[in-house]
Amino acid sequence: MDDSGALVLFSGGQDSATCLAWALDRFGHVETLGFDYGQRHAVELECRATVRDGLGRVNGDWAARLGPDHTLGLGALGEVSDTALTRSVEITMTDQGLPNTFVPGRNLVFLTFAAALAYRRGLKHIVAGMCETDYSGYPDCRDDTIKALQVALNLGMESRFVLHTPLMFIDKAETWRLAERLGGEGLVELIREESHSCYLGDREHVHDWGHGCGTCPACDLRAAGWRRYRGG
Ligand code: ZN
């Protein structure tokens, strides 16, 4: 157990919920941060409190370590980006070979604001769910991007932040397995029921892998990961 504090980028999705459990298993004090940037799936922000409360029931030690929750408004990100995450358009692939859900620089902005908040709160560790394995090819999810940003943030803030990305090299099935190792079936159930991944913000349709439209790229990824996880 590391008694220094951590800040977890916590959107309310499967990945960040698993990261939050990972941090609660390691660090003595854990705070959470969510961003409101005009995302179409803003319903994910409403799932955050439910998942946080649920984590405390999965493990009493986690409840004791879980500190305050923070949300920051980053509406400017929605203003500068023209993407299917922030506008009501169909999700397609762009000429650059990226899905049009890509918000340019989003994770750079998120991590920079996270570091500014961690600085103020005296938290050394920053934990985020970026993954370059089976993600949608977003360049700001790459390990090299995160490592370069860690250097830049530490130079620019005269700090010794450590950026952790526990999901970087595992796929969605392995992310479910990680949740199972951390919190057993109780944690898997909590994440399946209460976390939100669907880009369209659909909470009406329920599948064996959780809530969502069932057809957007985020739902596809989540469903495929769940099938591989349950299949063994
Ligand atoms: Zn969906």
Side-chain angles (χ1 to χ4, degrees):
M1 175 63 55
D2 184 328
D3 61 7
S4 51
L7 179 65
V8 179
L9 270 71
F10 179 54
S11 68
Q14 178 193 349
D15 290 347
S16 68
T18 308
C19 285
L20 180 51
W22 181 89
L24 287 166
D25 206 47
R26 243 160 216 82
F27 303 112
H29 175 79
V30 178
E31 302 187 8
T32 51
L33 170 61
F35 296 103
D36 184 353
Y37 58 98
Q39 61 269 54
R40 284 164 79 183
H41 53 307
V43 65
E44 72 177 9
L45 295 174
E46 292 163 24
C47 297
R48 297 171 75 253
T50 316
V51 174
R52 272 177 52 101
D53 291 348
L55 285 167
R57 284 192 295 277
V58 166
N59 183 325
D61 292 340
W62 293 357
R65 294 175 202 149
L66 190 55
D69 181 39
H70 312 267
T71 48
L72 290 174
L74 286 181
L77 206 50
E79 284 174 41
V80 294
S81 74
D82 177 27
T83 80
L85 268 202
T86 48
R87 287 176 58 243
S88 221
V89 296
E90 199 189 335
I91 298 174
T92 55
M93 293 300 277
T94 67
D95 296 343
Q96 289 83 35
L98 285 168
N100 65 347
T101 48
F102 175 58
V103 180
R106 179 175 59 151
N107 287 325
L108 304 179
V109 173
F110 283 179
L111 285 166
T112 302
F113 273 91
L117 180 64
Y119 187 100
R120 181 163 66 75
R121 300 288 302 163
L123 305 168
K124 177 188 166 98
H125 301 276
I126 297 168
V127 183
M130 290 81 187
C131 167
E132 66 173 42
T133 309
D134 63 358
Y135 219 62
S136 311
Y138 298 163
D140 58 345
C141 288
R142 278 184 249 172
D143 192 48
D144 284 352
T145 306
I146 307 300
K147 290 217 163 50
L149 188 62
Q150 175 174 296
V151 173
L153 291 171
N154 282 328
L155 285 171
M157 297 192 195
E158 193 68 36
S159 296
R160 298 284 293 177
F161 294 120
V162 184
L163 268 52
H164 300 268
T165 50
L167 312 184
M168 183 57 76
F169 301 110
I170 64 177
D171 64 16
K172 280 275 188 282
E174 199 56 44
T175 301
W176 285 113
R177 282 182 208 111
L178 174 60
E180 190 184 321
R181 277 200 300 280
L182 289 166
E185 197 57 33
L187 180 59
V188 170
E189 272 309 294
L190 174 72
I191 294 174
R192 193 179 71 83
E193 281 281 317
E194 304 297 348
S195 75
H196 182 86
S197 300
C198 174
Y199 280 153
L200 303 183
D202 186 328
R203 296 291 296 168
E204 280 166 37
H205 299 94
V206 191
H207 314 263
D208 54 352
W209 44 265
H211 295 264
C213 71
T215 55
C216 78
C219 282
D220 282 348
L221 207 54
R222 179 161 166 152
W226 177 261
R227 277 195 296 272
R228 288 200 310 279
Y229 164 61
R230 279 310 199 211

